[in-house]
Amino acid sequence: MPGIVIVGAQWGDEGKGKVTDLLAEQADAVVRFQGGNNAGHTIVRNGTSWKLHLIPSGILHGDTICVIGNGVVIDPKVLIEELEELRARNIATTPERLRISANAHLIMPYHLMLDHAGEAKLGQLQIGTTRRGIGPCYADKAARLGIRVQDLLDEKILKKKIIAALEPKRLSLRPYAKDPRLDLQTMTEEYLTYGHRLEPYIADTIRLVHEQLDRGRRVLFEGAQGALLDIDHGTYPFVTSSNPVAGAACIGAGVGPKDIDEVWGVTKAYSTRVGAGPFPTELDGGMADEIRERGGEYGTTTGRARRVGWLDLVALRYAARINSLTALALMKLDVLSGFDRLRVCTHYRGAEGARFDDFPYHQTVLHHATGEYEEMSGWPEDLRECRDESDLPLAAREYLQFLAESARVPIALIGVGPGREEVIWTQASESLVAGNSGSPTPAAAR
Ligand code: GDP
Ligand code: IMO
Ligand code: MG
């Protein structure tokens, strides 16, 4: 102990990479527990940007062990590229630093094809997936037709499993029948090569994580995506195919609920969403464009323009509840500087006029719900130099207080710029395990 989970409290891209990198400074291990390379986690250090898709956001810290847990779906080609890119940038990615669960599932060429084909077939109704094969891979996992990392180490097993996985997909894959990537021999050889390359990294990651916890070491569990993209709790079917909520850290890393001490929810000071699906506080026109440009709201993985909206407290309260959040990291407050008035959604109004203080469970209600707002004063000041709560303008502090009270979760960390030093550790962080020593400066010096 202690175990600290970091999750997205919105629709992804909240700044989990930055928060994980910051907390990793005091951590011994960082474990990614779900999702795949649909994720894009950004870290900005000394003006240099790092975009990670599969490798945990602790990798820039020389002595932190990074673990890709069993709950992650791995595209081995992408993982190898990511390893090579890091190495080219002088980041050590030796097997001592990175361990990959033998039980994690692999994204195969046909998963990418099925993801493309599935979206094409849905036409107007498409989900807007990242087309990285995530959904089809998790579907195979559930259907018990998945190929796991450990299968890369045995040619006979690998081939057998590929044959079994391909069989029920013949019809859907017909348009790709002539694609050389689908040839059994080619695919097997390609994946065996990946296996050779990844073999030194493959490990019993559950044992490793428990060894760390048993020794009292600090372990971070890094989530991908966000609560509203959760396959059970999000805006289904406009969701990803895994569980980005904190409970999934147990499953995707192989620990029990009692191994978790804190759950940090990362949220922006406003909302964004990539892909289709309900978004009750969505803005359009000039205001949306302005926030998008100021916040650089373009997908880290796909480059798509993110949809933008006001902060949604209905959704945030829901995220706080389903994750048992113990702290909030509120990022991108700086992006809101310069607006006269800001709005925060306190509840929804349904098409029939009903008021919703809680996140509506019914898809039809949610699709037609619109946000109702508390209007608050903005602030003209640039926040990027603020390092203490007292440096913030009064209106910004009021905005934060309103948010924390409504979400009923203390704000431990405030983001005031993309750089890792552009943060404020609040007083609330001092009573938290991660906040206490996770901060780059000791409490007394802040
Ligand atoms: P993740 O998927 O949750 O890790 O988030 P992304 O990396 O996809 O997107 C967050 C973006 O916001 C990245 O470009 C970060 O560099 C940037 N960012 C993070 N925190 C802040 C902040 O406090 N202020 C500003 N302006 N940018 C931030
Ligand atoms: P990070 O970890 C934002 C979205 C996609 C799409 C839906 C399903 O960087 O926050 P998928 O490819 O998972 O089947 O797509 O989920 N999505 C994300 N949106 N951030 C992410 O990850 C996302 N990963 C998936 O845009 O709407
Ligand atoms: Mg992202």
Side-chain angles (χ1 to χ4, degrees), residues 11-14 16 38-41 115 127-132 134-135 224-225 229 239-241 274-276 304:
W11 281 277
D13 301 327
E14 300 91 346
K16 298 175 292 293
N38 47 350
H41 294 183
D115 201 354
I127 293 158
T129 72
T130 58
R131 290 174 160 74
R132 299 298 192 265
I134 307 296
Q225 292 82 50
L229 287 173
V239 293
T240 191
S241 297
V274 214
R304 289 180 289 175

Side-chain angles (χ1 to χ4, degrees), residues 146-205:
I147 314 237
R148 297 190 292 172
V149 167
Q150 57 185 279
D151 300 327
L152 292 176
L153 306 179
D154 187 320
E155 180 171 355
K156 249 167 83 188
I157 290 181
L158 180 63
K159 215 175 226 170
K160 258 192 190 161
K161 291 199 173 179
I162 294 177
I163 293 169
L166 278 174
E167 186 48 40
K169 301 179 181 64
R170 291 252 166 254
L171 199 61
S172 326
L173 287 172
R174 202 177 276 165
Y176 299 93
K178 293 207 169 72
D179 194 313
R181 287 174 298 168
L182 274 189
D183 174 70
L184 178 64
Q185 196 53 33
T186 311
M187 201 188 314
T188 311
E189 279 167 20
E190 182 189 346
Y191 274 67
L192 285 172
T193 311
Y194 297 146
H196 269 310
R197 179 76 169 75
L198 296 176
E199 190 170 359
Y201 297 91
I202 302 173
D204 179 354
T205 54

Side-chain angles (χ1 to χ4, degrees), residues 118-139:
E119 287 285 87
K121 209 167 175 184
L122 283 169
Q124 294 269 55
L125 297 175
Q126 67 177 241
I127 293 158
T129 72
T130 58
R131 290 174 160 74
R132 299 298 192 265
I134 307 296
C137 183
Y138 276 116

